[in-house]
Amino acid sequence: MEPAPGPQEKYQLITRNLQEVLGEDKLMAILKERELKIYWGTATTGKPHVAYFVPMSKIADFLKAGCEVTILFADLHAYLDNMKAPWELLELRTRYYEHVIKAMLESIGVPLDKLTFVRGTDYQLSKEYTLDVYRLSSVVTQHDAKKAGAEVVKQVEHPLLSGLLYPGLQALDEEYLKVDAQFGGVDQRKIFTFAEKYLPSLGYAKRVHLMNPMVPGLTGSKMSSSEEDSKIDLLDRKEDVKKKLKKAFCEPGNVENNGVLSFIKHVLFPLKSEFVVLREEKWGGNKTYTAYEALEKDFAEQVVHPGDLKNSVEVALNKLLDPIREKFNCPELKKLSSAAYPTPSKAKPAEKGTKNSEPEDVVPSRLDIRVGKVLSVEKHPDADSLYVEKIDVGEAEPRTVVSGLVHFVPKEQLQDRLVVLLCNLKPQKMRGVESQGMVLCASSVGEPRQVEPLDPPAGCCAGERVYVEGYEGGEPDEELKPKKKVFEKLQADFRVSEDCVAQWKQRNFLTKLGTVSCKSLKGGSIS
């Protein structure tokens, strides 16, 4: 039997991989006297996704350090946050969260009997708690309440009063759950400092606050329930996991905002203390890493290929997801899942040719447009006007793309250039070479015809999503069906503005770094 860890060892376990700790001295003083009491809360809003394994992994660390851990299902918070969970669905979503969070913890080997599970409405509707909400509202300014929730509560043009109550309730939870510390993401920092400022004004103690870094999603930004491309759902099928990982941003040698590497660092390494990169013998065979830093170094030096990294994460992730999928395969939980997250109702289209036939939604979010980097350019062997390019779009292998740019863009101007690529056209052969995408270009209106490839903002990486302003959400079609002519219908409204910005119906083409543009073809078309 292993000896119990001492205060310093417990401190190391509790704080490893955290971005920040507020109250380090107090934390160490408590550990020298007794076990730490800590809670993690989750608002029961959108479906939990694989990024939830990050706090689950830390909860495993807390238990190893002997902490008394409470998990709060913050159902009332979910309603207060701009009604992200409608009142009529609150009970169903809370039950769904309870089942799925417990299934996640079991899949990583965390014993549930060492945890306490609480719902917010178990105590937040009591006379004492309600009175404290009023007491707090008498000392908190509107400015401080709004500032505290800025990173967590949904920001809208005309905010509801409920969003201003949210930070105060989260602060009071620390007192009513009788804990020493609260754990959350670094996006909660303003709420944590708000609690430290205002709880003492009610005569309550200041707590310790532990913060995880925000782990990038698959697109390089925060993994979010509302951004379909950025996340892998816990109940996604294996083929969906493969598809989403294949599209994930994982540029060779780039360790910044790399969601694949971050998942290994914050989930897989803490759970197993090692990670195995799976690869064929001809590429050196499997390699086991016992320190994350060594893996990151090898990836930065391009010893490890993005394709091998993604394949290895896919295998490890499916091992975590299999028991969760199995648990939710029973009729009772299937019914709960569909009831808690009902599919938005759609009117059934009428028979073809009938009067009430509903047109299919043709919106820009159906296009899979990404930043690409041209790795090589060659003349087509059988067509003088065509180039054959190899373009990196953040996938395991570069795509082969055939473009009719020979008479408009010199070869050396394309080499190593960032371009904008439409990635979900059906592949088609062009004079014997299969093209797997289309480089989007601006074209002049008059003669002589001029053509310029669209330019993503400086600093973009291969694989970054390009979207139209106002259409950031939505999942692109897996493949555009030629007969539906979705691209052709949208492309009819593609234009270049007088500022040389690419637009659809006067809405800008964007990446997270800014607008997509061309060099000089004002008022031109885009194809």
Side-chain angles (χ1 to χ4, degrees), residues 455-476:
D455 293 315
C460 280
C461 296
E464 278 187 44
R465 180 92 185 267
V466 177
Y467 54 88
V468 171
E469 189 176 6
Y471 291 87
E472 294 87 340
E475 177 81 358

Side-chain angles (χ1 to χ4, degrees), residues 296-311:
E296 186 180 272
K297 181 173 181 288
D298 276 1
F299 186 83
E301 294 173 359
Q302 300 191 33
V303 174
V304 174
H305 189 274
D308 294 328
L309 194 72
K310 289 180 180 182
N311 291 338

Side-chain angles (χ1 to χ4, degrees), residues 29 31 68 83 106 123 126 164 228 263 277 323 405 447 453 476 508:
L31 291 174
E68 295 176 23
M83 293 183 290
E106 286 173 330
Y123 63 89
S126 69
L164 298 178
E228 191 61 35
F263 189 78
V277 174
L405 295 174
E447 296 293 336
N508 294 342

Side-chain angles (χ1 to χ4, degrees), residues 39 357 364:
Y39 99 89
S357 182

Side-chain angles (χ1 to χ4, degrees), residues 410-424:
K411 181 177 171 180
E412 56 273 16
Q413 285 186 21
L414 277 178
Q415 181 67 46
D416 297 322
R417 178 181 185 145
L418 290 180
V419 293
V420 176
L421 196 73
L422 178 61
C423 293
N424 60 341

